């Protein structure tokens, strides 16, 4: 294999030469950049931030520092060379300056000496010159002052006069003075500083006049608020005299007051108002006497209103004054219309309330008639409408809480006088009068509540026994209290007995008293006879049907009433029922409505008394049955008694004696009521006796006990047949015991063949005996027989036949009962 030819090594020298050239170029570029930056630092007059940032952002900071240090050393060498070159000239200049300083000091001393000498020479001259100038100035000032004083003295005199008028509160002359001062005198002294001050003060003076007059008006408003009550009282006193009403309705207790006489209205041309008269303090009695001679407007000084109105009119601000006055009076109206707390508790509170309202509107009417446009009729009417609504609401609230009829009557009279008073001043009072009709219902309600206590007191104090009189005086006293027409009673000799108890005339008289109380409210309401009659009849109907009816119902339901008391109440109801006709005649006589009888409403008391009587009769029946139950509770039967005792039980004898004595007191009751009560008692006794026999707790009974029971029933039947009530001899009372009688006869006669044969027929002898009743009673007999047979062993033939018959009857009765039950279910 041939040998390889060796390669020639590269020429490294030629490769490194371009590299050295690049580095030198780079270094030159960096040096040039550093020189440029240094040149900017040397020559720049502005901030160096951009240049320094370029230095620090560069990568050759250390080289820049080296380059900068070289530059600094070069400059140091140049500075040192220049200092060396100019050093000799600097030394020469310093030597020349030292020579000049000595000459300057010498010149300064000479100038000071010359100046001092000149000043000493001119001192006397300057003193004389200053004195001369001063004298000339004083002469000029004196002349100027004399001239100014001649101009200013009239102005100052007018201003002094203004101040005096303001101090003495003569506001209208002060306004004239201000007018002259502003338009005549101040223009002459415009050049003086005080003229401008006075000119600036004139509006303030006008405002102070307005404020002072407004202050007087506020005092007037406060004063009128305090005295409105007295003004209203005087106005109502005059109205009471004119309408022939009692002045005592109006008068209320008041403290001493200051009385003022109002000045005449302002002159319509000059606006001047006379000085108000001084107030006079009087005692209440003297004041009341003087009030009769004065009008309501004479009690208050109206000059502040006139003065303030004129001032505001002159100053061109009348509209603002009218607005303020109306707004304040509207607020005062609301205060006057706000009732005092607990007004319903005192009549004086009602009086003061009406006095304030009347006084307020009397003042407003006076303002309306004595000023030109301060208030107008539309404003007064709007104020009155608001007052009527609030007055009505307040009276409704307080009269509802009033529980005294006499106070309600006084309030009614106050309202009537209130309406008379304000009608005289031109106010419409129709809505206020309508309120009286609403109050009538409240008055009647209060009366009704009072009469509830009156009726209950009458009922509690009555002895529920007929009235006995022993002399003609006592007899006359009763017949004058209650209308009764009984010829038999009149023919009787003394002592006489009225059939009713004392509460009949008492109730009748109290109903009449209620009618009179209702009539009192109708006085002065200007109602027709028919309207008054209708109103009283409606109220009386409410009293009879609701109040008296409720009281009677509560009385009758009292468990403490005895039977005799209930009987007396029922008798009383008969006479009260008849008295309703006399009550109607009494109402017609006091109202004068006899001629209008066609339109009269009838009293409903007749129906009410009938209902009360029926209620009392029902309670009589119940009470009688309860009393009978007390006797029946004493019954104690021995149902295993072998044979009867031969006489009725003691409880039955006592019961019959009680019923006989009780029905004797039924003589004054209607015959129908007495018969119904007697029948009710007999039925109750029969049902109770039947319940004794059918009592589920009684499992056994003997024929001996049935015979004893039969004796008790015979005693009751004797009572029923004895005509306990006159006219009750028709046999109806015995029918009450027919059912129990047939039942006992069936068992005592052992008449089962006839009962079973005739069962279901209407003419059956034992038609009232039900199969289930007979079965129940027969089973009890059978139980007693079984117990007897168990004790005494086997029965004889007669007893066995009887037992067989008993079993046969029981079987047939069960068949009848089951057949009836299936028939009912079918």
């Amino acid at each position: 294999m041939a040998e390889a030819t060796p390669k020639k090594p590269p020429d490294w020298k030629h490769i490194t030469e371009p590299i050295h050239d690049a580095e030198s170029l780079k270094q030159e570029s960096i040096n040039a950049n550093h020189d440029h930056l240094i040149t900017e630092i040397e020559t720049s007059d502005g901030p160096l931030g951009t240049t320094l940032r370029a230095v620090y952002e560069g990568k050759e900071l250390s080289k820049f520092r080296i380059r900068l240090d070289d530059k600094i050393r070069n400059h140091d060498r140049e500075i040192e060379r220049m200092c060396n070159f100019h050093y000799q000239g600097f030394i020469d200049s310093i030597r020349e300056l030292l020579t000049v300083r000595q000459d300057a000091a010498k010149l300064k001393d000479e100038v000071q000496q010359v100046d001092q000498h000149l000043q000493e020479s001119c001192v006397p001259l300057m003193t004389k010159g200053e004195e001369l100038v001063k004298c000339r100035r004083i002469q000029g000032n004196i002349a100027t002052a004399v001239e100014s004083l001649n101009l200013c003295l009239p102005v100052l005199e007018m201003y002094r006069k203004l101040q005096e008028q303001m101090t003495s509160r003569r506001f209208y002359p002060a306004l004239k003075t201000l007018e002259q001062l502003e338009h005549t005198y101040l223009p002459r002294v415009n050049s003086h500083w005080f003229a401008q001050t006075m000119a600036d003060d004139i509006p303030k003076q006008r405002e102070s006049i307005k404020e002072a007059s407004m202050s007087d008006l506020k005092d007037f408003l406060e004063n009128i608020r305090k005295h409105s009550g007295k003004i209203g009282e005087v106005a109502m006193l005059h109205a009471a005299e004119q309408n022939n009403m009692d002045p005592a309705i109006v008068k209320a207790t008041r403290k001493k007051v200051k009385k003022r006489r109002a000045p005449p209205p302002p002159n319509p041309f000059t606006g001047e108002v006379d000085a108000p008269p001084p107030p006079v303090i009087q005692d209440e009695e003297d004041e009341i006497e003087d009030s009769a001679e004065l009008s309501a407007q004479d009690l208050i000084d109206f000059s502040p209103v006139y003065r303030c109105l004129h001032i505001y009119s002159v100053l061109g601000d009348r509209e603002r004054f009218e607005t303020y006055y109306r707004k304040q009076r509207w607020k005062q109206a609301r205060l006057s219309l706000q009732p005092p707390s607990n007004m319903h508790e005192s009549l004086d509170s009602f009086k003061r309330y009406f006095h304030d309202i009347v006084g307020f509107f009397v003042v407003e009417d006076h303002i309306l008639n004595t000023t030109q446009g301060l208030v107008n009729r539309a404003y007064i009417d709007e104020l009155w409408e608001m007052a009527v609504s609030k007055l009505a609401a307040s009276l409704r609230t307080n009269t509802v809480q009033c529980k005294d009829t006499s106070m309600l009557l006084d309030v009614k009279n106050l309202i009537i006088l209130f309406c008379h008073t304000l009608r005289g001043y031109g106010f419409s009072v129709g809505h206020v009068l309508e309120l009286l009709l609403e109050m009538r219902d409240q008055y009647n309600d209060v009366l009704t509540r009072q009469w509830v206590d009156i009726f209950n007191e009458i009922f509690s104090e009555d002895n529920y026994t007929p009235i006995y009189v022993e002399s003609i005086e006592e007899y006359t006293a009763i017949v004058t209290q209650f209308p009764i027409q009984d010829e038999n009673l009149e023919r009787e000799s003394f002592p006489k007995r009225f059939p009713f108890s004392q509460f009949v005339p008492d109730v009748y008289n109290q109903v009449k008293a209620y009618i009179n109380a209702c009539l009192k409210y109708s006085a002065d309401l200007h109602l027709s006879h028919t309207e008054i009659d209708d109103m009283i009849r409606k109220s009386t109907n409410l009293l009879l049907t609701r109040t008296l009816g409720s009281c009677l119902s509560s009385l009758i339901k009292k468990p403490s009433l005895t039977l005799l008391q209930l009987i007396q109440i029922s008798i009383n109801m008969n006479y009260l029922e008849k008295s309703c006709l006399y009550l109607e005649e009494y109402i017609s006589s006091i109202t004068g409505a006899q001629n209008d009888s066609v339109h009269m409403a009838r009293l409903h008391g007749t129906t009410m008394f009938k209902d009360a009587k029926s209620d009392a009769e029902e309670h009589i029946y119940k009470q009688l049955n309860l009393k009978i139950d007390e006797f029946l509770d004493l019954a104690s039967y021995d149902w295993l008694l072998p044979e009867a005792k031969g006489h009725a039980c003691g409880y039955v004898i006592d019961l019959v004696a009680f019923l006989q004595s009780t029905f004797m007191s039924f003589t004054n009751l209607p015959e129908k009521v007495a018969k119904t009560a007697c029948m009710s008692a007999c039925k109750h006794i029969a049902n109770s006796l039947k319940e004794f026999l059918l009592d589920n707790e009684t499992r056994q009974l003997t024929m001996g006990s049935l015979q004893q029971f039969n004796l008790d029933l015979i005693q009751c039947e004797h009572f029923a047949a004895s005509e306990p009530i006159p006219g009750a001899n028709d046999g109806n009372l015995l029918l009450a015991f027919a059912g129990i009688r047939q039942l006992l006869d069936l068992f005592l006669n052992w008449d089962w063949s006839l009962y079973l044969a005739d069962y279901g027929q209407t003419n059956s002898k034992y038609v009232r005996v039900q199969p289930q009743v007979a079965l129940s009673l027969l089973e009890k007999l059978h139980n007693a027989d079984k117990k007897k047979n168990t004790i005494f062993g086997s029965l004889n033939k007669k007893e066995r036949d009887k037992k067989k018959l008993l079993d046969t009857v029981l079987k047939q009765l069960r068949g009848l009962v089951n057949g009836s039950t299936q028939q009912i279910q079918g």
Side-chain angles (χ1 to χ4, degrees), residues 337-339 343 353 389-399:
L337 291 166
Q338 184 176 355
M343 185 171 71
Y353 181 58
S389 62
K390 289 188 174 294
L391 172 66
S394 299
L395 290 178
R396 288 191 187 100
T397 302
N398 285 277
T399 53

Side-chain angles (χ1 to χ4, degrees), residues 179-309:
E179 191 75 16
Q180 295 176 356
L181 188 63
E182 181 180 19
H183 297 288
T184 304
Y185 291 93
L186 282 182
R188 300 175 184 175
V189 292
N190 280 337
S191 59
H192 297 281
W193 62 271
F194 68 86
Q196 185 60 40
T197 303
M198 287 184 179
D200 295 339
D201 189 55
I202 286 176
K204 297 178 182 179
Q205 293 289 348
R206 288 198 176 100
E207 286 299 323
S208 61
I209 290 174
K210 290 170 64 175
E211 291 174 1
S213 62
M214 183 60 71
S215 176
D216 290 345
L217 177 67
K218 291 178 179 178
D219 293 340
F220 165 79
L221 292 175
E222 182 179 355
N223 188 43
I224 202 68
R225 178 75 182 95
K226 294 178 181 178
H227 291 80
S228 289
K230 185 59 184 176
I231 295 173
E233 182 177 358
V234 172
M236 293 180 74
L237 281 172
H238 291 166
E241 294 174 358
Q242 294 171 2
N243 292 275
N244 297 322
M245 297 181 69
D246 185 7
I249 301 173
V250 184
K251 296 178 182 178
T253 305
R254 291 185 177 275
K255 299 179 181 180
K256 295 181 179 181
V257 295
K258 289 184 178 180
K259 182 171 62 178
R260 299 173 180 267
R261 290 181 178 270
N267 189 311
F269 300 101
T270 63
E272 291 289 347
V273 180
D274 295 339
V280 179
I281 301 179
Q282 290 186 334
D283 292 336
E284 184 178 356
E285 295 181 358
D286 297 337
E287 182 184 358
I288 293 175
E289 293 177 359
D290 293 343
S291 298
E293 303 175 359
L294 299 175
S295 65
Q297 294 82 0
D298 292 334
L299 299 173
I300 199 69
D301 178 15
F302 287 88
S303 59
V305 180
Y306 306 143
R307 186 185 308 116
C308 194
L309 174 64

Side-chain angles (χ1 to χ4, degrees), residues 70-120:
D70 293 343
K71 193 69 173 177
I72 290 171
R73 284 193 293 271
N74 290 334
H75 284 299
D76 288 342
R77 285 193 294 270
E78 290 179 1
I79 291 170
E80 184 180 358
R81 188 173 57 253
M82 289 181 66
C83 288
N84 291 333
F85 178 76
H86 295 289
Y87 178 74
Q88 188 60 42
F90 177 72
I91 295 299
D92 294 339
S93 298
I94 292 298
R95 289 174 180 171
E96 290 178 0
L97 284 173
L98 290 174
T99 304
V100 171
R101 184 178 64 179
Q102 294 175 356
D103 295 338
K106 184 178 179 181
L107 179 61
K108 179 180 177 181
D109 292 338
E110 292 177 356
V111 169
Q112 288 178 346
Q113 290 176 1
V114 172
D115 179 65
Q116 183 178 3
H117 180 69
L118 182 61
Q119 288 181 0
E120 292 175 356

Side-chain angles (χ1 to χ4, degrees), residues 457-675:
E457 184 178 358
I458 291 173
F459 297 153
S460 63
E461 294 179 353
D462 193 46
N463 57 9
Y464 297 97
T465 57
I467 300 175
Y468 284 87
V469 292
E470 298 180 353
S471 63
I472 186 64
E473 292 79 9
E474 294 179 355
Y475 177 82
T476 306
I478 296 298
V479 297
T480 53
Q481 292 180 25
F482 182 76
I484 179 172
Q485 297 178 357
D486 191 339
E487 296 180 357
N488 296 329
L489 183 62
E490 292 178 358
R491 288 194 295 266
E492 289 180 5
S493 60
F494 290 98
K496 294 183 179 183
R497 184 178 70 90
F498 287 93
F500 47 79
S501 66
Q502 183 61 40
F503 94 56
V504 171
D506 288 345
V507 167
Y508 180 80
N509 289 326
Q510 286 302 327
V511 174
K512 289 175 64 176
Y514 178 87
I515 293 171
N516 293 330
C518 291
L519 184 63
K520 286 182 180 180
Y521 192 87
S522 303
D524 299 324
L525 291 184
H526 304 292
L527 300 175
S528 65
H529 295 306
T530 304
E531 291 173 331
I532 295 175
D533 185 84
D534 184 63
M535 180 189 73
I536 293 178
R537 288 176 183 270
K538 287 181 179 179
S539 301
T540 307
N541 277 329
L542 290 176
L543 177 75
L544 294 175
T545 56
R546 293 185 183 178
T547 307
L548 183 55
S550 177
C551 292
L552 286 172
S553 178
S554 301
L555 171 66
I556 294 170
K557 292 178 182 178
K558 282 186 177 180
S560 60
L561 287 180
T562 64
L563 182 60
L564 294 178
Q565 289 175 331
L566 285 170
I567 293 171
Q568 187 61 58
I569 291 173
S570 178
I571 295 171
N572 291 346
M573 293 302 104
N574 286 327
Y575 289 93
L576 287 175
E577 178 184 345
K578 296 175 183 177
S579 68
C580 290
L581 180 61
Y582 298 101
L583 288 176
E584 290 184 355
E585 294 176 356
Y586 179 73
I587 293 174
S588 298
S589 65
I590 63 175
T591 59
Q594 294 92 337
N595 297 331
D596 300 328
S597 58
V598 176
H599 305 286
M600 268 187 219
R602 295 299 175 187
L603 294 182
H604 302 159
T606 303
T607 305
M608 186 278 297
F609 288 125
K610 286 182 179 179
D611 294 339
K613 180 174 65 176
S614 299
D615 195 11
E617 292 169 359
E618 290 295 330
H619 280 76
I620 289 173
Y621 307 150
K622 293 179 182 178
Q623 189 72 22
L624 184 59
N625 292 339
L626 290 175
K627 197 66 179 177
I628 292 172
D629 288 338
E630 292 180 7
F631 288 94
L632 294 175
D633 290 340
L634 301 176
S636 178
Y637 284 101
D638 182 5
W639 298 110
L640 299 178
L641 192 68
E643 61 182 10
K645 297 177 181 179
H647 58 80
C649 295
Y651 85 91
V652 175
I653 297 173
D654 294 339
L655 174 59
V656 170
F658 164 75
L659 291 175
Q660 288 174 343
S661 63
T662 299
F663 287 126
M664 288 178 62
S665 64
F666 280 28
T667 54
N668 290 322
L669 279 176
E671 181 179 349
K672 181 181 178 182
V673 176
K675 288 182 178 181

